Coordinates of all heavy atoms in Angstrom, one line a residue:
M1 N -7.8 5.2 -0.1 CA -8.1 6.5 0.4 C -8.1 7.5 -0.8 O -7.2 7.5 -1.6 CB -7.2 6.9 1.5 CG -7.6 8.2 2.2 SD -6.5 8.7 3.6 CE -6.7 7.3 4.6
E2 N -9.1 8.4 -0.8 CA -9.1 9.5 -1.7 C -8.6 10.7 -1.0 O -9.4 11.5 -0.4 CB -10.5 9.7 -2.3 CG -11.0 8.5 -3.1 CD -12.3 8.7 -3.7 OE1 -12.4 9.5 -4.7 OE2 -13.3 8.1 -3.3
T3 N -7.3 10.9 -1.0 CA -6.6 11.9 -0.2 C -7.2 13.3 -0.5 O -7.3 14.1 0.4 CB -5.1 11.9 -0.5 OG1 -4.7 10.5 -0.3 CG2 -4.4 12.8 0.4
E4 N -7.6 13.6 -1.7 CA -8.0 15.0 -2.0 C -9.3 15.3 -1.3 O -9.6 16.5 -1.2 CB -8.2 15.1 -3.6 CG -9.3 14.3 -4.2 CD -9.0 12.9 -4.4 OE1 -7.9 12.4 -4.1 OE2 -9.9 12.1 -4.9
K5 N -10.1 14.3 -0.9 CA -11.3 14.6 -0.1 C -11.1 14.9 1.4 O -11.9 15.4 2.1 CB -12.3 13.4 -0.2 CG -12.9 13.2 -1.6 CD -13.9 12.1 -1.5 CE -14.6 11.8 -2.8 NZ -15.5 10.6 -2.6
C6 N -9.9 14.5 1.9 CA -9.6 14.5 3.3 C -9.5 15.9 3.8 O -8.8 16.7 3.1 CB -8.3 13.7 3.6 SG -7.8 13.8 5.3
I7 N -10.1 16.2 4.9 CA -10.0 17.6 5.5 C -9.1 17.5 6.8 O -9.1 18.5 7.5 CB -11.4 18.1 5.8 CG1 -12.2 17.2 6.7 CG2 -12.1 18.5 4.5 CD1 -13.5 17.8 7.2
G8 N -8.6 16.4 7.1 CA -7.7 16.3 8.2 C -8.3 16.3 9.6 O -7.7 16.7 10.6
C9 N -9.6 15.9 9.7 CA -10.3 16.1 10.9 C -9.8 15.1 12.0 O -10.1 15.3 13.2 CB -11.8 15.9 10.7 SG -12.3 14.2 10.3
G10 N -9.2 14.0 11.6 CA -8.7 13.1 12.6 C -9.6 12.0 13.1 O -9.2 11.2 14.0
R11 N -10.9 12.0 12.7 CA -11.8 11.1 13.2 C -11.4 9.6 12.9 O -11.6 8.8 13.8 CB -13.2 11.3 12.6 CG -13.9 12.6 13.1 CD -15.3 12.7 12.6 NE -15.8 14.0 12.7 CZ -17.0 14.4 12.3 NH1 -17.8 13.5 11.8 NH2 -17.4 15.6 12.5
C12 N -10.9 9.4 11.8 CA -10.4 8.0 11.4 C -9.3 7.6 12.4 O -9.3 6.5 12.8 CB -10.0 8.0 10.0 SG -8.7 9.2 9.6
A13 N -8.4 8.5 12.6 CA -7.3 8.1 13.5 C -7.8 7.9 14.9 O -7.3 7.0 15.6 CB -6.2 9.3 13.5
D14 N -8.8 8.6 15.4 CA -9.3 8.4 16.7 C -10.0 7.1 16.9 O -10.0 6.5 18.0 CB -10.4 9.5 17.0 CG -9.7 10.9 17.2 OD1 -8.5 11.0 17.4 OD2 -10.5 11.9 17.1
V15 N -10.6 6.5 15.8 CA -11.4 5.3 16.0 C -10.6 4.0 15.6 O -11.1 2.9 15.9 CB -12.7 5.3 15.2 CG1 -13.6 6.4 15.7 CG2 -12.5 5.4 13.7
C16 N -9.5 4.2 14.9 CA -8.8 3.0 14.5 C -8.2 2.2 15.7 O -7.4 2.7 16.5 CB -7.6 3.3 13.6 SG -6.7 1.9 13.1
P17 N -8.7 1.0 15.9 CA -8.2 0.2 17.1 C -6.8 -0.2 17.1 O -6.2 -0.5 18.1 CB -9.1 -1.0 17.1 CG -9.6 -1.2 15.6 CD -9.6 0.2 15.1
G18 N -6.2 -0.1 15.9 CA -4.7 -0.4 15.8 C -3.8 0.8 15.7 O -2.6 0.6 15.5
N19 N -4.4 2.0 15.9 CA -3.6 3.2 15.8 C -2.8 3.2 14.5 O -1.6 3.6 14.5 CB -2.7 3.3 17.0 CG -2.1 4.7 17.2 OD1 -2.7 5.7 16.7 ND2 -0.9 4.8 17.8
L20 N -3.4 2.9 13.4 CA -2.7 2.7 12.1 C -2.8 4.0 11.3 O -2.1 4.1 10.3 CB -3.4 1.6 11.3 CG -3.4 0.2 12.0 CD1 -4.0 -0.8 11.1 CD2 -2.0 -0.2 12.3
L21 N -3.6 5.0 11.7 CA -3.8 6.2 10.8 C -3.1 7.4 11.5 O -3.3 7.5 12.7 CB -5.3 6.4 10.6 CG -5.9 5.4 9.7 CD1 -7.4 5.2 10.0 CD2 -5.8 5.8 8.2
V22 N -2.5 8.2 10.8 CA -1.9 9.4 11.3 C -2.3 10.6 10.4 O -2.6 10.4 9.2 CB -0.3 9.3 11.3 CG1 0.1 8.3 12.3 CG2 0.2 9.0 9.9
I23 N -2.3 11.7 11.0 CA -2.6 13.0 10.2 C -1.3 13.7 10.0 O -0.5 14.0 10.9 CB -3.5 13.9 11.0 CG1 -4.8 13.1 11.4 CG2 -3.9 15.1 10.1 CD1 -5.6 12.6 10.3
E24 N -1.0 13.9 8.7 CA 0.3 14.5 8.3 C 0.0 15.6 7.3 O -0.7 15.3 6.3 CB 1.3 13.5 7.8 CG 1.8 12.5 8.8 CD 2.8 11.5 8.2 OE1 2.8 11.4 6.9 OE2 3.4 10.8 8.9
A25 N 0.5 16.8 7.5 CA 0.2 17.9 6.6 C -1.3 18.0 6.3 O -1.6 18.3 5.1 CB 1.0 17.7 5.3
G26 N -2.1 17.8 7.3 CA -3.5 18.1 7.1 C -4.3 17.0 6.4 O -5.5 17.1 6.1
R27 N -3.6 15.8 6.2 CA -4.3 14.7 5.5 C -4.0 13.4 6.3 O -3.0 13.2 6.9 CB -3.8 14.6 4.1 CG -4.0 15.8 3.2 CD -5.4 15.8 2.7 NE -5.8 17.1 2.0 CZ -5.6 17.3 0.7 NH1 -5.1 16.4 -0.1 NH2 -6.0 18.5 0.3
A28 N -5.0 12.5 6.2 CA -4.8 11.2 6.9 C -3.9 10.3 6.0 O -4.0 10.3 4.8 CB -6.1 10.5 7.1
R29 N -3.1 9.5 6.7 CA -2.3 8.5 6.0 C -2.3 7.2 6.8 O -2.2 7.2 8.0 CB -0.9 9.0 5.8 CG 0.0 8.0 5.1 CD 1.4 8.6 5.0 NE 2.1 8.7 6.2 CZ 2.7 7.7 6.9 NH1 2.7 6.5 6.4 NH2 3.4 7.9 8.0
L30 N -2.5 6.1 6.0 CA -2.4 4.8 6.7 C -1.0 4.4 6.7 O -0.3 4.4 5.7 CB -3.2 3.8 5.8 CG -3.3 2.3 6.3 CD1 -4.0 2.2 7.6 CD2 -4.0 1.5 5.2
R31 N -0.5 4.1 7.9 CA 0.9 3.8 8.1 C 1.4 2.6 7.2 O 2.4 2.7 6.5 CB 1.2 3.4 9.6 CG 1.0 4.5 10.6 CD 1.3 4.0 12.0 NE 0.6 4.7 13.0 CZ 1.1 5.7 13.7 NH1 2.3 6.2 13.4 NH2 0.4 6.3 14.6
D32 N 0.7 1.5 7.3 CA 1.1 0.4 6.5 C -0.2 -0.5 6.3 O -0.8 -1.0 7.2 CB 2.1 -0.5 7.3 CG 2.7 -1.6 6.4 OD1 2.0 -2.0 5.4 OD2 3.8 -2.0 6.7
A33 N -0.6 -0.5 5.0 CA -1.9 -1.3 4.7 C -1.8 -2.7 5.1 O -2.9 -3.3 5.4 CB -2.1 -1.1 3.2
R34 N -0.6 -3.3 5.3 CA -0.5 -4.7 5.6 C -1.0 -4.9 7.1 O -1.3 -6.1 7.4 CB 0.9 -5.2 5.4 CG 1.3 -5.3 4.0 CD 2.8 -5.6 3.9 NE 3.6 -4.5 4.5 CZ 4.9 -4.5 4.5 NH1 5.6 -5.5 3.9 NH2 5.6 -3.5 5.1
D35 N -1.0 -3.9 7.9 CA -1.4 -4.0 9.3 C -2.9 -3.9 9.5 O -3.4 -4.2 10.5 CB -0.7 -3.0 10.1 CG 0.8 -3.2 10.3 OD1 1.2 -4.4 10.1 OD2 1.5 -2.3 10.5
C36 N -3.6 -3.4 8.5 CA -5.1 -3.2 8.6 C -5.8 -4.5 8.4 O -5.6 -5.2 7.5 CB -5.5 -2.2 7.4 SG -7.3 -2.0 7.3
W37 N -6.8 -4.7 9.4 CA -7.6 -5.9 9.3 C -9.0 -5.7 8.8 O -9.9 -6.5 8.9 CB -7.5 -6.7 10.6 CG -8.0 -5.9 11.8 CD1 -9.3 -5.9 12.3 CD2 -7.3 -5.1 12.7 NE1 -9.4 -5.1 13.4 CE2 -8.2 -4.6 13.7 CE3 -5.9 -4.7 12.7 CZ2 -7.7 -3.8 14.7 CZ3 -5.5 -3.9 13.8 CH2 -6.4 -3.4 14.7
G38 N -9.2 -4.5 8.3 CA -10.5 -4.2 7.6 C -11.7 -4.1 8.5 O -12.8 -4.5 8.0
C39 N -11.6 -3.6 9.6 CA -12.7 -3.5 10.5 C -13.7 -2.5 10.1 O -14.9 -2.4 10.5 CB -12.3 -3.1 11.9 SG -11.7 -1.4 12.2
T40 N -13.3 -1.6 9.2 CA -14.2 -0.5 8.6 C -14.6 0.6 9.5 O -15.4 1.5 9.2 CB -15.4 -1.0 7.8 OG1 -16.4 -1.5 8.8 CG2 -15.1 -2.1 6.8
A41 N -14.0 0.7 10.7 CA -14.3 1.7 11.7 C -14.0 3.1 11.1 O -14.7 4.1 11.2 CB -13.6 1.5 13.0
C42 N -12.8 3.2 10.4 CA -12.4 4.5 9.8 C -13.3 4.8 8.6 O -13.6 6.0 8.4 CB -11.0 4.4 9.3 SG -10.6 3.1 8.1
V43 N -13.8 3.9 7.9 CA -14.7 4.1 6.8 C -16.0 4.8 7.3 O -16.5 5.7 6.7 CB -15.0 2.8 6.0 CG1 -16.0 3.1 4.9 CG2 -13.7 2.2 5.5
K44 N -16.5 4.2 8.4 CA -17.7 4.7 8.9 C -17.6 6.1 9.6 O -18.5 6.9 9.6 CB -18.3 3.7 10.0 CG -18.8 2.5 9.4 CD -19.5 1.6 10.4 CE -18.5 0.8 11.2 NZ -19.1 -0.2 12.1
A45 N -16.4 6.3 10.1 CA -16.1 7.6 10.9 C -15.9 8.8 9.9 O -16.1 9.9 10.4 CB -15.0 7.4 11.8
C46 N -15.5 8.6 8.7 CA -15.0 9.7 7.9 C -16.2 10.5 7.4 O -17.1 9.9 6.7 CB -14.2 9.1 6.7 SG -13.7 10.5 5.6
P47 N -16.3 11.8 7.7 CA -17.4 12.6 7.3 C -17.4 13.0 5.8 O -18.3 13.6 5.3 CB -17.3 13.8 8.2 CG -15.8 13.9 8.4 CD -15.3 12.5 8.5
R48 N -16.3 12.7 5.1 CA -16.1 13.1 3.7 C -16.1 11.9 2.7 O -15.9 12.1 1.5 CB -14.8 13.8 3.6 CG -14.7 15.0 4.5 CD -15.3 16.2 3.8 NE -14.5 16.6 2.6 CZ -14.9 17.4 1.7 NH1 -16.1 18.0 1.9 NH2 -14.2 17.7 0.7
A49 N -16.4 10.7 3.2 CA -16.3 9.5 2.4 C -15.0 9.4 1.7 O -14.9 9.1 0.5 CB -17.5 9.4 1.4
A50 N -13.9 9.8 2.4 CA -12.6 9.8 1.8 C -11.9 8.5 1.8 O -11.0 8.2 1.1 CB -11.7 10.9 2.4
I51 N -12.4 7.6 2.7 CA -11.8 6.3 2.9 C -12.8 5.3 2.3 O -14.0 5.3 2.6 CB -11.6 6.0 4.4 CG1 -10.8 7.1 5.0 CG2 -10.9 4.7 4.6 CD1 -10.6 6.9 6.5
F52 N -12.3 4.3 1.6 CA -13.1 3.3 1.0 C -12.4 1.9 1.3 O -11.2 1.9 1.6 CB -13.3 3.4 -0.5 CG -12.0 3.5 -1.3 CD1 -11.4 2.3 -1.7 CD2 -11.5 4.7 -1.6 CE1 -10.2 2.4 -2.5 CE2 -10.3 4.8 -2.4 CZ -9.7 3.6 -2.8
Y53 N -13.2 0.9 1.3 CA -12.7 -0.5 1.5 C -12.7 -1.1 0.1 O -13.7 -1.1 -0.6 CB -13.6 -1.2 2.5 CG -13.1 -2.5 2.9 CD1 -12.1 -2.6 3.9 CD2 -13.7 -3.7 2.4 CE1 -11.7 -3.9 4.3 CE2 -13.2 -4.9 2.8 CZ -12.2 -5.0 3.8 OH -11.8 -6.2 4.2
T54 N -11.6 -1.7 -0.3 CA -11.5 -2.3 -1.6 C -12.0 -3.7 -1.5 O -11.6 -4.5 -0.6 CB -10.1 -2.3 -2.1 OG1 -9.6 -1.0 -2.2 CG2 -10.0 -3.0 -3.5
L55 N -13.0 -4.1 -2.3 CA -13.6 -5.4 -2.2 C -12.9 -6.4 -3.1 O -12.5 -6.1 -4.3 CB -15.1 -5.3 -2.7 CG -16.0 -4.4 -1.9 CD1 -17.3 -4.2 -2.5 CD2 -16.1 -5.0 -0.5
E56 N -12.7 -7.6 -2.6 CA -12.0 -8.6 -3.3 C -13.1 -9.2 -4.3 O -14.2 -8.9 -4.3 CB -11.6 -9.7 -2.4 CG -10.5 -9.2 -1.4 CD -10.0 -10.3 -0.5 OE1 -10.3 -11.4 -0.7 OE2 -9.3 -9.9 0.4
A57 N -12.6 -10.0 -5.3 CA -13.4 -10.5 -6.3 C -14.6 -11.2 -5.8 O -15.7 -11.1 -6.4 CB -12.6 -11.4 -7.2
S58 N -14.5 -11.9 -4.7 CA -15.7 -12.6 -4.2 C -16.7 -11.7 -3.5 O -17.8 -12.2 -3.1 CB -15.2 -13.7 -3.2 OG -14.5 -13.1 -2.1
L59 N -16.3 -10.5 -3.3 CA -17.2 -9.5 -2.6 C -17.5 -8.3 -3.4 O -17.3 -7.2 -3.1 CB -16.6 -9.1 -1.3 CG -16.4 -10.1 -0.2 CD1 -15.6 -9.6 1.0 CD2 -17.8 -10.6 0.3
G60 N -18.0 -8.5 -4.6 CA -18.4 -7.4 -5.4 C -17.6 -7.2 -6.7 O -17.8 -6.2 -7.4
G61 N -16.6 -8.0 -6.8 CA -15.8 -7.9 -8.0 C -14.5 -7.1 -7.8 O -14.5 -6.1 -7.0
A62 N -13.5 -7.5 -8.5 CA -12.2 -6.7 -8.3 C -12.4 -5.3 -8.7 O -13.0 -5.0 -9.8 CB -11.2 -7.4 -9.2
G63 N -11.9 -4.4 -7.9 CA -12.1 -3.0 -8.3 C -13.3 -2.3 -7.6 O -13.4 -1.1 -7.6
G64 N -14.2 -3.2 -7.0 CA -15.3 -2.6 -6.3 C -14.9 -1.9 -5.0 O -13.9 -2.3 -4.4
R65 N -15.6 -0.8 -4.7 CA -15.2 -0.1 -3.5 C -16.4 0.1 -2.6 O -17.5 0.3 -3.1 CB -14.7 1.3 -3.9 CG -13.3 1.3 -4.6 CD -12.9 2.7 -4.9 NE -11.6 2.7 -5.5 CZ -10.9 3.8 -5.9 NH1 -11.5 4.9 -5.8 NH2 -9.7 3.7 -6.3
L66 N -16.2 0.1 -1.3 CA -17.3 0.3 -0.3 C -17.0 1.5 0.5 O -15.9 1.7 1.1 CB -17.3 -0.9 0.7 CG -18.4 -1.0 1.7 CD1 -19.8 -1.1 1.0 CD2 -18.2 -2.1 2.7
Y67 N -17.9 2.5 0.4 CA -17.8 3.7 1.2 C -19.0 3.8 2.2 O -19.9 3.0 2.1 CB -18.0 4.9 0.3 CG -17.1 5.1 -0.8 CD1 -17.2 4.4 -2.0 CD2 -16.0 6.0 -0.7 CE1 -16.3 4.6 -3.1 CE2 -15.1 6.2 -1.8 CZ -15.3 5.5 -2.9 OH -14.4 5.7 -4.0
A68 N -18.9 4.7 3.1 CA -20.0 5.0 4.0 C -20.3 6.5 4.1 O -19.4 7.3 4.1 CB -19.6 4.5 5.4
E69 N -21.6 6.7 4.0 CA -22.0 8.1 4.2 C -22.8 8.2 5.5 O -23.8 7.5 5.7 CB -22.9 8.5 3.0 CG -22.2 8.6 1.7 CD -23.1 8.8 0.5 OE1 -24.4 8.9 0.7 OE2 -22.6 8.9 -0.6
D70 N -22.4 9.1 6.3 CA -22.9 9.2 7.6 C -23.8 10.5 7.7 O -23.5 11.6 7.3 CB -21.8 9.4 8.7 CG -22.2 9.1 10.1 OD1 -23.3 8.5 10.2 OD2 -21.5 9.4 11.0
S71 N -25.0 10.3 8.2 CA -25.9 11.4 8.6 C -26.3 11.2 10.0 O -26.0 10.2 10.6 CB -27.1 11.5 7.6 OG -27.9 10.4 7.8
R72 N -27.1 12.1 10.6 CA -27.4 12.0 12.0 C -28.0 10.7 12.4 O -27.5 10.1 13.4 CB -28.4 13.1 12.3 CG -28.4 13.5 13.8 CD -29.2 14.7 14.0 NE -30.6 14.5 13.7 CZ -31.6 14.6 14.6 NH1 -31.3 14.9 15.8 NH2 -32.8 14.4 14.2
D73 N -29.0 10.1 11.7 CA -29.6 8.9 12.2 C -29.3 7.7 11.3 O -29.6 6.6 11.6 CB -31.1 9.1 12.2 CG -31.5 10.1 13.2 OD1 -30.9 10.2 14.3 OD2 -32.5 10.8 13.0
T74 N -28.7 8.0 10.1 CA -28.5 6.9 9.2 C -27.1 6.8 8.7 O -26.4 7.8 8.4 CB -29.4 7.2 7.9 OG1 -30.8 7.4 8.4 CG2 -29.4 6.0 6.9
L75 N -26.6 5.5 8.6 CA -25.4 5.2 8.0 C -25.7 4.5 6.7 O -26.4 3.5 6.7 CB -24.5 4.3 8.9 CG -23.2 3.9 8.3 CD1 -22.2 5.1 8.4 CD2 -22.6 2.7 9.0
T76 N -25.2 5.1 5.6 CA -25.5 4.5 4.3 C -24.2 3.9 3.7 O -23.2 4.6 3.5 CB -26.1 5.5 3.3 OG1 -27.2 6.1 3.9 CG2 -26.4 4.9 1.9
W77 N -24.2 2.6 3.5 CA -23.1 1.9 2.8 C -23.3 2.0 1.3 O -24.4 1.8 0.8 CB -23.1 0.4 3.2 CG -22.7 0.2 4.6 CD1 -23.5 -0.1 5.7 CD2 -21.3 0.3 5.2 NE1 -22.7 -0.3 6.8 CE2 -21.4 0.0 6.5 CE3 -20.1 0.6 4.6 CZ2 -20.3 0.0 7.3 CZ3 -19.0 0.6 5.4 CH2 -19.1 0.3 6.8
V78 N -22.3 2.5 0.7 CA -22.3 2.7 -0.8 C -21.3 1.8 -1.5 O -20.1 1.9 -1.2 CB -22.0 4.2 -1.2 CG1 -22.1 4.4 -2.7 CG2 -22.9 5.1 -0.4
L79 N -21.9 0.9 -2.3 CA -21.0 -0.1 -3.0 C -20.9 0.3 -4.4 O -21.9 0.4 -5.1 CB -21.7 -1.5 -2.9 CG -21.0 -2.6 -3.7 CD1 -19.6 -2.8 -3.3 CD2 -21.8 -3.9 -3.6
R80 N -19.7 0.7 -4.8 CA -19.5 1.1 -6.2 C -18.7 0.0 -6.9 O -17.5 -0.3 -6.6 CB -18.7 2.4 -6.3 CG -19.5 3.6 -6.0 CD -19.0 4.9 -6.4 NE -19.7 5.9 -5.7 CZ -19.2 6.8 -4.8 NH1 -17.9 6.8 -4.6 NH2 -19.9 7.7 -4.2
L81 N -19.3 -0.7 -7.8 CA -18.7 -1.8 -8.5 C -17.7 -1.2 -9.6 O -17.9 -0.1 -10.0 CB -19.7 -2.7 -9.1 CG -20.7 -3.3 -8.1 CD1 -21.7 -4.2 -8.8 CD2 -19.9 -4.2 -7.1
A82 N -16.9 -2.1 -10.1 CA -15.9 -1.6 -11.1 C -16.5 -1.2 -12.4 O -16.0 -0.3 -13.1 CB -14.9 -2.8 -11.3
D83 N -17.7 -1.7 -12.7 CA -18.4 -1.4 -13.9 C -19.2 -0.1 -13.8 O -20.0 0.3 -14.7 CB -19.3 -2.5 -14.4 CG -20.4 -2.9 -13.5 OD1 -20.6 -2.2 -12.4 OD2 -21.1 -3.8 -13.8
G84 N -19.2 0.5 -12.6 CA -19.9 1.8 -12.4 C -21.2 1.6 -11.7 O -21.8 2.6 -11.2
E85 N -21.7 0.4 -11.6 CA -23.0 0.2 -10.9 C -22.8 0.5 -9.4 O -21.8 0.3 -8.8 CB -23.4 -1.3 -11.0 CG -24.7 -1.6 -10.3 CD -25.1 -3.1 -10.3 OE1 -24.6 -3.8 -11.2 OE2 -25.8 -3.5 -9.5
E86 N -23.9 1.1 -8.9 CA -23.8 1.5 -7.4 C -25.0 1.0 -6.7 O -26.2 1.0 -7.2 CB -23.9 3.1 -7.4 CG -23.7 3.6 -6.0 CD -23.5 5.1 -5.9 OE1 -22.5 5.6 -6.4 OE2 -24.5 5.8 -5.5
Q87 N -24.8 0.4 -5.5 CA -25.8 -0.1 -4.7 C -25.7 0.6 -3.3 O -24.6 0.9 -2.9 CB -25.7 -1.6 -4.5 CG -25.9 -2.4 -5.8 CD -25.7 -3.9 -5.6 OE1 -25.6 -4.4 -4.5 NE2 -25.6 -4.5 -6.7
R88 N -26.8 0.9 -2.7 CA -26.8 1.6 -1.4 C -27.6 0.9 -0.4 O -28.7 0.4 -0.7 CB -27.4 3.1 -1.6 CG -26.6 3.9 -2.7 CD -27.3 5.2 -3.0 NE -27.1 6.2 -1.9 CZ -26.1 7.0 -1.8 NH1 -25.1 6.9 -2.7 NH2 -26.0 7.8 -0.9
I89 N -27.1 0.8 0.8 CA -27.8 0.1 1.9 C -27.8 1.1 3.1 O -26.8 1.4 3.6 CB -27.1 -1.2 2.3 CG1 -27.0 -2.1 1.1 CG2 -27.8 -1.9 3.5 CD1 -26.0 -3.3 1.3
A90 N -29.0 1.5 3.4 CA -29.2 2.5 4.5 C -29.5 1.7 5.8 O -30.3 0.8 5.9 CB -30.3 3.4 4.2
V91 N -28.8 2.1 6.9 CA -28.9 1.4 8.2 C -29.3 2.5 9.2 O -28.6 3.5 9.3 CB -27.6 0.7 8.7 CG1 -27.8 0.2 10.1 CG2 -27.2 -0.3 7.7
N92 N -30.4 2.3 9.9 CA -30.8 3.3 11.0 C -29.9 3.0 12.1 O -29.8 1.9 12.7 CB -32.3 3.0 11.4 CG -32.7 4.0 12.5 OD1 -32.0 4.3 13.4 ND2 -33.9 4.4 12.4
K93 N -29.1 4.0 12.5 CA -28.0 3.8 13.5 C -28.6 3.4 14.9 O -28.0 2.7 15.6 CB -27.2 5.0 13.6 CG -26.3 5.3 12.4 CD -25.2 6.3 12.7 CE -25.7 7.7 12.6 NZ -24.6 8.7 12.6
K94 N -29.8 3.9 15.2 CA -30.4 3.5 16.5 C -30.9 2.1 16.5 O -31.2 1.5 17.6 CB -31.6 4.5 16.8 CG -31.1 5.9 17.0 CD -32.3 6.8 17.2 CE -31.8 8.2 17.5 NZ -32.8 9.2 17.4
Q95 N -31.1 1.5 15.3 CA -31.5 0.1 15.3 C -30.5 -0.9 14.8 O -30.7 -2.0 14.5 CB -32.8 0.0 14.4 CG -33.9 0.8 14.8 CD -35.1 0.8 13.8 OE1 -34.9 0.6 12.7 NE2 -36.2 1.2 14.3
A96 N -29.2 -0.4 14.6 CA -28.2 -1.2 14.0 C -27.9 -2.4 14.8 O -27.4 -3.4 14.2 CB -26.9 -0.3 13.8
N97 N -28.1 -2.4 16.1 CA -27.8 -3.6 16.9 C -29.0 -4.5 17.2 O -28.9 -5.4 18.0 CB -27.1 -3.2 18.2 CG -25.7 -2.6 17.9 OD1 -25.0 -3.0 17.0 ND2 -25.4 -1.6 18.7
D98 N -30.1 -4.2 16.5 CA -31.3 -5.0 16.7 C -31.2 -6.2 15.7 O -31.0 -6.1 14.5 CB -32.6 -4.3 16.4 CG -32.8 -3.2 17.4 OD1 -32.1 -3.1 18.4 OD2 -33.7 -2.3 17.2
Y99 N -31.4 -7.4 16.2 CA -31.4 -8.6 15.4 C -32.7 -9.4 15.5 O -33.4 -9.3 16.4 CB -30.2 -9.5 15.8 CG -28.9 -8.9 15.5 CD1 -28.1 -8.3 16.6 CD2 -28.3 -8.9 14.2 CE1 -26.9 -7.7 16.3 CE2 -27.1 -8.3 14.0 CZ -26.4 -7.7 15.1 OH -25.2 -7.1 14.8
Ligands
SF4_101 S1 -10.2 -0.6 8.7 FE1 -7.9 -0.7 9.2 S2 -7.2 1.4 9.2 FE2 -9.5 1.5 9.3 S3 -10.0 1.5 11.5 FE3 -10.0 -0.6 10.9 S4 -7.9 -1.4 11.3 FE4 -7.8 0.9 11.3
SF4_102 S1 -11.9 11.0 8.9 FE1 -11.8 11.3 6.7 S2 -11.7 13.6 6.4 FE2 -11.2 13.1 8.6 S3 -8.9 12.8 8.6 FE3 -9.8 10.8 8.3 S4 -9.8 10.5 6.0 FE4 -9.6 12.7 6.5

């Protein structure tokens, strides 16, 4: 989490299925990272891209981070690799469940 970006809106806490996030002193905090199973609901819900998912070596290289940028109709996954390379994948939210 990039705490300095957090505005304490609580959206991440509202969507976490494990109730793992709390708002303290106007900032979100993960109670215990060992309890998180990486569903990424909080990553998608954060309007400030303050929460990121750390990618293991097999998923983008050690140090890679996955963020989400949310706009009205589009969710954009932003993959920042450790070497600075950035890849973006835009998903139309209205078609996200079409297979
Ligand atoms: S990724 Fe972890 S902290 Fe975030 S919503 Fe899912 S279980 Fe909760
Ligand atoms: S959703 Fe983002 S900005 Fe809002 S409380 Fe959670 S981390 Fe902070």
Side-chain angles (χ1 to χ4, degrees):
M1 185 176 303
E2 295 185 69
T3 307
E4 68 281 0
K5 290 184 179 176
C6 176
I7 56 173
C9 69
R11 290 187 195 177
C12 55
D14 289 344
V15 299
C16 178
N19 195 26
L20 304 179
L21 290 148
V22 292
I23 307 299
E24 291 177 347
R27 301 277 169 93
R29 180 179 67 80
L30 181 60
R31 293 178 206 269
D32 189 337
R34 291 173 298 184
D35 291 333
C36 171
W37 57 92
C39 72
T40 71
C42 58
V43 178
K44 290 186 281 187
C46 180
R48 302 274 296 167
I51 305 176
F52 58 85
Y53 188 78
T54 303
L55 298 172
E56 297 180 11
S58 59
L59 292 171
R65 291 179 174 182
L66 185 65
Y67 298 82
E69 294 176 355
D70 196 14
S71 66
R72 199 169 65 115
D73 297 325
T74 305
L75 178 75
T76 303
W77 289 103
V78 181
L79 172 60
R80 288 195 194 120
L81 301 178
D83 64 4
E85 182 185 336
E86 186 172 289
Q87 296 176 14
R88 302 172 76 84
I89 302 168
V91 177
N92 182 320
K93 290 195 280 190
K94 292 178 180 165
Q95 298 173 342
N97 292 325
D98 293 351
Y99 295 99

